[in-house]
Amino acid sequence: MSLSLKSMFHERDPVAEQLPLLGSHVPIIALTLAYLAIVLVIGPIFMRNRKPYNIKKVILIYNFLQVIANCFLCYLTIVTFYTHRAEVPDFGCLTKYPNSPTLEKLNIRVLYAFYLLKVIDYVETIFFVLRKSFKQVSFLHVYHHIMMSTFNYYLGTYYGGMGQYASVLVLNCAVHGFMYTYYFMSALNTKMGLWWKKYITRLQLTHFVLVLLHHSYPLIFRPQCQFPKGLLWFAVVQSFVMLYLFGKFYVRTYLRKAQKAVATDKNDKIIKTN
């Protein structure tokens, strides 16, 4: 497996190997297995005969910190790339920047911060379990968290930077900034945070379309791009997978419920008329 990953990512980054939770496979594998055990087995068993925990204050603090962290990473990445745009030969083919110390540091440091955020995201599912909101512990939710954390581990360890995935980081952080703002307002029980829930899913779908386009571009128009082709294809395939899963969720949660509501309203009018 290690040899196949090296051939896909081309190298094992010496800087990333020195960072906590990167380099060795053990931490991310242990964290992911512990996450699965807690949210799918241990948590439900533990909560079976217990009332949901009141952890509103903890959730408010968690959501607020997530908003700050995601918005800051998004802002930092955009501003740094814009400031040093003259040192970026082609925004359609983002790689490493050996001739730009600032962008080179950004490449690994921001990715590392993003990776840590994706690991911290595991806590969100544990909150669902403690509140007995088991419907929210869906396949889409669990798969998305595990995919993001484990992939960012391998991207950092073997490639040592964001490269073309800078677009993923910026878009993902922007969407999560909105998402955790919604969670924060919902935890406050404010009506203002309710009406725009479906638009967050629309933002997520738009995000995956943009990621698909950005990673398809070098495959089609920049075949000489030095960013690993395997990573480009992974982003393309993963974008299609996420579009399908989130699209299915959107149809089931919003479109079908809206259709049922319209049908129910029509039936009520018919009954009243009769």
Side-chain angles (χ1 to χ4, degrees), residues 66-135:
Q66 282 279 11
V67 171
I68 298 300
N70 279 280
C71 289
F72 176 73
L73 272 183
C74 181
Y75 170 81
L76 176 65
T77 307
I78 292 174
V79 169
T80 307
F81 267 106
Y82 179 79
T83 305
H84 295 267
R85 61 190 181 279
E87 300 167 29
V88 182
D90 185 356
F91 276 95
C93 173
L94 301 175
T95 54
K96 292 185 177 181
Y97 308 94
N99 298 321
S100 174
T102 301
L103 290 180
E104 189 68 8
K105 288 179 181 178
L106 178 83
N107 224 350
I108 183 60
R109 291 180 179 179
V110 172
L111 175 63
Y112 180 61
F114 186 62
Y115 162 63
L116 293 180
L117 268 185
K118 298 303 108 179
V119 173
I120 293 171
D121 280 350
Y122 284 173
V123 176
E124 180 186 28
T125 319
I126 297 174
F127 289 158
F128 292 158
V129 173
L130 293 176
R131 295 172 60 206
K132 300 188 80 168
S133 300
F134 296 121
K135 286 184 179 180

Side-chain angles (χ1 to χ4, degrees), residues 167-186:
S167 61
V168 176
L169 186 147
V170 169
L171 292 168
N172 186 275
C173 285
V175 170
H176 277 71
F178 282 104
M179 185 182 75
Y180 281 108
T181 300
Y182 164 77
Y183 286 158
F184 180 80
M185 297 174 72
S186 296

